[in-house]
Amino acid sequence: MKVGTAALTVDAAGMRAQNSSLLLNMIWRERQISRAEIARRTELSPSTVSAIVADLEHSGLVRSIGAGVSRGGRRPTLIGFRDDAFNIIGVELGATHVTVVLTDLRGRVRTTRNSPQQVRNDPEGTLKAVRALVQECLDAERVPKRSVVGMGVAVPSPVHPSAPGKMSPLILPAWRGYDVQDALRGTFDMPVFVDNDANLGALSECYWGAGVGGEDLTYIKLATGIGSGHIIHGDVYRGAGGTAGEIGHIAVDSAGPPCLCGLRGCLVTLIGSGALVERARELMGSKGRKAPTIREIVEGARAGDPAARTIIDGLGQYLGIAVAGLLNLLNPAIVVLGGEISSVGDLLLDPLRASVRKRALSTSMAETRIVTSALGDKAIAVGAATLVLQAALRSRALFPPQHVGRTPA
Amino acid sequence: MKVGTAALTVDAAGMRAQNSSLLLNMIWRERQISRAEIARRTELSPSTVSAIVADLEHSGLVRSIGAGVSRGGRRPTLIGFRDDAFNIIGVELGATHVTVVLTDLRGRVRTTRNSPQQVRNDPEGTLKAVRALVQECLDAERVPKRSVVGMGVAVPSPVHPSAPGKMSPLILPAWRGYDVQDALRGTFDMPVFVDNDANLGALSECYWGAGVGGEDLTYIKLATGIGSGHIIHGDVYRGAGGTAGEIGHIAVDSAGPPCLCGLRGCLVTLIGSGALVERARELMGSKGRKAPTIREIVEGARAGDPAARTIIDGLGQYLGIAVAGLLNLLNPAIVVLGGEISSVGDLLLDPLRASVRKRALSTSMAETRIVTSALGDKAIAVGAATLVLQAALRSRALFPPQHVGRTPA
DNA sequence: GGTACTTTCTTCGTCACTCGAACGAACGCG
DNA sequence: CGCGTTCGTTCGAGTGACGAAGAAAGTACC
């Protein structure tokens, strides 16, 4: 196996691999398409298309699914992608929980497990929990390991491109010396991909959410921390040092409160879950001194509670400052808001858009849609699985070889 | 010729094209390298390398340049890139001038011409001036058109990816209905590439300046307007609507003066050339009411004039707010400051870095170098030519065919 | 200085892959 | 039912990369 420099040279086999992946992608995207149509679109010869399709069919990735409508002659046989040919494992390491999903090749969750876990301070226990949950998922669906393409892991830390398994010592000091990638690859003997949680949320949205069909998207995760991820030309963008997307520490109020990072007025100190909850306790004054949860704020806002509305308004206004900068600098096609609080929808989007409009060029705004996520709470874990899917669709070799396709129920 | 959808399919010829471009790039980067070394690095077979090199040699792009040092056996014959095999035209449309350069394939300027021109309001005159200057450059060096790869044009407007020749009607309303790309392609019958000036400044820095060797860089142009350009994975990033990099309209002071764009406290209203000069007039009080030029501010700062120093300090502080946001969001490897005022060097960098340090995550800063440009005033025009060079090195077919290599002096 | 070993580069036969042409199968339409 | 059209396959040809072998040109060592 060739390692490292990845010289992009092509020989006869590489030619086949490239065309093969191209076809595989097209079939995956279109869900069903005839050989003739593929030949027309790719400008490959019909004979070549047939040969490659036969290959893919033999490896279980695609199959014939009946005839299509005639265009005046013989009816085409449609080729469909076998979403169930393989499985993928997605893992989310949150601040206080671990979530594992087992998905098919269309991002559908077959099984999921999660457990509370103090990820920040307990690397050993976290890894143990992940191992157990993954095994549970595999057992629950009777999935043999050879039908698993690989494992994606979302971590709550920036990820350096050159050592994706290692956490940032500044964010997660307890993880010094651990390498998530190595550890899990060692246990399960399959490819392991690691990336930052917000990046994977972005990927999730790009594949399954608001960004479907697009190639440039920014996702903002509103939770304990405020993170963002960029998809650029269909790929996660990590920046030179892997810390692209640290939107939470943009200074939006120079007179604001001090932040853990050592700066002052960071976005996260104003609109992180902690700040929102704290403000809710002041304003909503619910039942003495117990601070309401984010969920309660969401419900309050929906029910028309003025205090909750005020909190959401403030969130939108502050966030707008950062988003406006984002639009001017990056001009993404879509900005997607995720995290529990985003479920208030327009109640957040309206003040946010107003705030952005006051600060961003109208041309930047014109090209950008700002929406809230419609994916559920497993978006990040599914995004982790999607990272594997993306890689496998690009180089077919990642799919385990000679897999005899399971016949679905 | 295939047009449009650009299906990335590969046939035998495409295989050759791909490997050929790979080799051409390697030879260009290394300047001199032996066939054997190429074979080792690319993992192509020696016979294939020889065949491709023979191809390239025949088309005049490379040639043998003597023997290298032995590694214990026969001495290798070094292959060198012929920087003078073809020429490229680069055009900069500034706010008040037009600059044209004729470069070789290493970004060296062979001839240059420029003339003052009110680009903003006079599209017809501008195009006329460009045509005249380009022809002058070609005539001056007796360069036949068949030895010109193409023309790159830098324009002072965002460029929409789908119609690069058209200016933004908001920034340059007088250019409505004009298409720079079509107009010039029609006149000179060669490929024409158009992009935003800051984007091309970024490209220039990435190829010839502070970013050499890197793939991710942000360039900030400090002039009448404040623009920025991002190089991501070696390519100019334009964003969804082509307005990525509009850093000048980031709001840094909500109490600041109103801006032409309709917002308030935009960076450009505080540190654009106009604002700097105006502030200089107040502080430096030079000779009655005449405002000093940017050049005079630079000279004053260098000479230790406290007023000029104050202006530069303020510039650094404001700019730092925007740069800090940039680092957190994008985490580029290098930020390069361009424009005349940047020539003060450390006098600007010191307050800038201090300002950034107060506002950006230390991890983002750690991976990012902030420097001033060392390229001259033709950086943008050369960047425009570089856009053509980049495209041609990627698909060798762009080089005019069957060119009999000129023998240099 | 001669011999053995290395490295470089080319030559030539082989192989994998794509292409194009020709063909049979399947279908719509009159 | 027959004709034209579309779909998919088969087969021979062409192209380009590869590997083995060999010639050319050095180095190292006795």
Side-chain angles (χ1 to χ4, degrees):
Chain A
M1 189 182 294
K2 296 178 184 178
V3 191
T5 49
L8 299 157
T9 143
V10 187
D11 61 356
M15 182 161 76
R16 179 53 154 261
Q18 231 170 294
N19 287 337
S20 180
S21 291
L22 185 73
L23 272 194
L24 190 60
N25 266 281
M26 187 171 286
I27 298 172
W28 186 86
R29 273 202 316 274
E30 301 295 330
R31 305 195 135 155
Q32 52 180 46
I33 186 170
S34 70
R35 292 171 174 75
E37 183 63 23
I38 293 175
R40 275 191 295 271
R41 292 202 202 172
T42 60
E43 296 181 349
L44 251 45
S45 75
S47 42
T48 302
V49 172
S50 278
I52 294 178
V53 167
D55 252 28
L56 294 174
E57 198 163 6
H58 185 260
S59 65
L61 283 166
V62 308
R63 77 171 143 196
S64 293
I65 50 168
V69 297
S70 166
R71 305 197 324 155
R74 174 176 167 178
R75 292 161 65 192
T77 42
L78 296 178
I79 308 298
F81 191 90
R82 295 193 58 169
D83 295 342
D84 58 345
F86 294 97
N87 300 278
I88 305 177
I89 295 168
V91 178
E92 178 190 7
L93 306 186
T96 58
H97 66 101
V98 170
T99 301
V100 174
V101 296
L102 182 74
T103 76
D104 64 5
L105 300 180
R106 191 68 61 181
R108 279 185 289 247
V109 176
R110 292 187 58 183
T111 321
T112 178
R113 290 284 188 282
N114 71 330
S115 71
Q117 175 69 40
Q118 289 304 317
V119 170
R120 178 176 293 277
N121 303 314
D122 184 9
E124 207 60 61
T126 301
L127 286 174
K128 194 175 159 193
V130 169
R131 291 194 181 101
L133 296 179
V134 168
Q135 196 59 55
E136 274 184 45
C137 284
L138 291 176
D139 293 347
E141 295 283 319
R142 304 231 187 297
V143 168
K145 257 197 335 214
R146 64 171 35 183
S147 86
V148 176
V149 182
M151 182 185 305
V153 184
V155 299
S157 152
V159 160
H160 199 286
S162 66
K166 303 201 168 165
M167 307 293 109
S168 161
L170 282 164
I171 312 285
L172 295 176
W175 283 73
R176 185 184 297 274
Y178 286 87
D179 188 310
V180 176
Q181 192 175 32
D182 289 350
L184 292 176
R185 190 165 41 199
T187 306
F188 292 99
D189 188 33
M190 59 177 68
V192 174
F193 298 78
V194 179
D195 209 329
N196 170 264
D197 53 1
N199 288 345
L200 292 175
L203 193 65
S204 211
E205 292 292 341
C206 190
Y207 268 74
W208 322 112
V212 170
E215 291 212 307
D216 296 271
L217 166 152
T218 292
Y219 172 85
I220 300 178
K221 185 189 170 198
L222 303 170
T224 310
I226 310 288
S228 74
H230 310 296
I231 305 295
I232 289 181
H233 296 328
D235 270 313
V236 171
Y237 182 68
R238 299 181 177 81
T243 67
E246 282 300 326
I247 198 175
H249 296 276
I250 283 187
V252 293
D253 180 357
S254 52
C259 174
L260 288 173
C261 73
L263 307 178
R264 190 168 267 284
C266 290
L267 195 58
V268 67
T269 64
L270 298 164
I271 67 167
S273 296
L276 297 184
V277 164
E278 178 57 30
R279 188 148 161 71
R281 195 166 62 90
E282 294 167 12
L283 286 178
M284 295 170 78
S286 67
K287 302 138 204 162
R289 32 200 324 160
K290 190 184 130 291
T293 63
I294 293 290
R295 171 182 297 273
E296 284 164 352
I297 298 177
V298 170
E299 284 166 359
R302 282 205 183 122
D305 176 350
R309 290 274 172 99
T310 303
I311 290 170
I312 303 285
D313 279 357
L315 164 58
Q317 280 179 35
Y318 278 125
L319 187 58
I321 299 174
V323 171
L326 175 70
L327 294 200
N328 283 340
L329 277 178
L330 266 184
N331 187 219
I334 309 184
V335 175
V336 183
L337 305 182
E340 194 173 6
I341 193 87
S342 73
S343 58
V344 295
D346 285 339
L347 295 178
L348 170 58
L349 289 176
D350 288 341
L352 171 62
R353 292 200 184 108
S355 173
V356 170
R357 201 169 295 122
K358 277 197 293 193
R359 295 179 177 87
L361 279 184
S362 52
T363 53
S364 302
M365 273 224 60
E367 301 273 354
T368 302
R369 287 168 42 212
I370 305 180
V371 300
T372 49
S373 172
L375 301 176
D377 57 356
K378 290 187 280 296
I380 306 277
V382 171
T386 306
L387 193 61
V388 182
L389 175 65
Q390 183 181 46
L393 285 177
R394 266 179 208 172
S395 67
R396 204 191 122 194
L398 273 183
F399 288 112
Q402 291 168 353
H403 172 68
V404 272
R406 286 178 310 96
T407 41
Chain B
M1 190 181 295
K2 296 177 182 176
V3 191
T5 48
L8 299 156
T9 143
V10 187
D11 60 356
M15 181 162 74
R16 179 54 154 256
Q18 229 169 294
N19 288 336
S20 181
S21 291
L22 185 73
L23 275 199
L24 190 59
N25 266 281
M26 185 171 286
I27 299 171
W28 185 86
R29 275 202 315 273
E30 300 295 330
R31 293 173 173 223
Q32 51 180 46
I33 187 170
S34 71
R35 292 173 176 79
E37 181 63 23
I38 293 175
R40 275 191 295 270
R41 292 204 204 173
T42 60
E43 295 180 349
L44 251 45
S45 74
S47 41
T48 302
V49 172
S50 279
I52 294 178
V53 167
D55 253 28
L56 294 174
E57 197 164 8
H58 186 260
S59 65
L61 282 166
V62 307
R63 76 169 143 198
S64 293
I65 49 168
V69 297
S70 167
R71 306 196 326 156
R74 173 176 167 178
R75 293 163 65 192
T77 43
L78 296 178
I79 308 298
F81 190 90
R82 296 192 57 169
D83 296 342
D84 58 345
F86 294 97
N87 299 278
I88 305 177
I89 295 168
V91 178
E92 178 191 6
L93 306 186
T96 57
H97 66 100
V98 171
T99 301
V100 174
V101 296
L102 182 74
T103 76
D104 65 5
L105 300 180
R106 189 68 61 181
R108 279 184 290 247
V109 177
R110 292 186 58 182
T111 322
T112 178
R113 291 282 189 283
N114 71 332
S115 71
Q117 175 71 40
Q118 289 304 317
V119 170
R120 177 177 293 276
N121 303 314
D122 183 10
E124 207 60 62
T126 301
L127 286 174
K128 195 174 160 195
V130 169
R131 291 194 181 101
L133 295 179
V134 168
Q135 196 59 54
E136 273 184 46
C137 284
L138 291 176
D139 293 346
E141 294 283 322
R142 302 232 187 296
V143 167
K145 256 195 338 212
R146 65 172 33 184
S147 87
V148 177
V149 182
M151 183 185 304
V153 184
V155 299
S157 153
V159 160
H160 199 287
S162 66
K166 303 200 168 165
M167 307 293 110
S168 161
L170 282 164
I171 313 285
L172 295 176
W175 283 74
R176 184 184 297 275
Y178 285 88
D179 188 309
V180 176
Q181 191 174 34
D182 289 350
L184 293 176
R185 189 164 42 199
T187 307
F188 292 99
D189 188 34
M190 59 176 68
V192 175
F193 299 78
V194 178
D195 209 330
N196 171 263
D197 52 3
N199 287 346
L200 293 174
L203 194 64
S204 211
E205 291 292 341
C206 190
Y207 269 73
W208 322 112
V212 171
E215 290 212 307
D216 296 271
L217 165 151
T218 292
Y219 172 85
I220 300 177
K221 185 189 170 198
L222 303 170
T224 310
I226 309 289
S228 75
H230 310 295
I231 305 295
I232 288 180
H233 296 328
D235 271 314
V236 170
Y237 182 69
R238 297 181 180 81
T243 67
E246 283 300 325
I247 199 174
H249 296 277
I250 284 186
V252 293
D253 180 357
S254 51
C259 173
L260 287 174
C261 73
L263 308 178
R264 190 167 269 284
C266 290
L267 195 59
V268 66
T269 64
L270 298 164
I271 67 168
S273 295
L276 296 184
V277 164
E278 179 57 29
R279 187 148 161 72
R281 197 166 63 90
E282 295 168 9
L283 286 179
M284 296 170 77
S286 67
K287 301 139 202 160
R289 34 199 321 160
K290 192 184 128 292
T293 62
I294 293 291
R295 171 181 299 273
E296 284 164 353
I297 297 176
V298 170
E299 284 166 359
R302 282 208 182 116
D305 177 348
R309 290 274 173 101
T310 303
I311 290 170
I312 303 284
D313 279 358
L315 164 58
Q317 280 180 34
Y318 277 127
L319 187 58
I321 298 174
V323 171
L326 176 69
L327 294 200
N328 282 343
L329 277 179
L330 267 184
N331 187 218
I334 310 184
V335 175
V336 183
L337 305 182
E340 194 174 6
I341 193 88
S342 73
S343 57
V344 295
D346 285 339
L347 295 178
L348 170 58
L349 289 175
D350 287 341
L352 171 62
R353 291 200 184 108
S355 172
V356 171
R357 200 169 297 121
K358 276 196 294 191
R359 294 178 177 88
L361 280 184
S362 52
T363 52
S364 303
M365 273 223 64
E367 301 273 355
T368 303
R369 288 167 42 211
I370 305 179
V371 300
T372 49
S373 172
L375 302 176
D377 56 356
K378 290 187 282 292
I380 307 277
V382 171
T386 307
L387 191 62
V388 181
L389 174 66
Q390 183 182 46
L393 285 177
R394 267 183 207 171
S395 67
R396 203 190 124 196
L398 274 184
F399 288 112
Q402 292 169 353
H403 173 67
V404 271
R406 287 179 309 97
T407 41

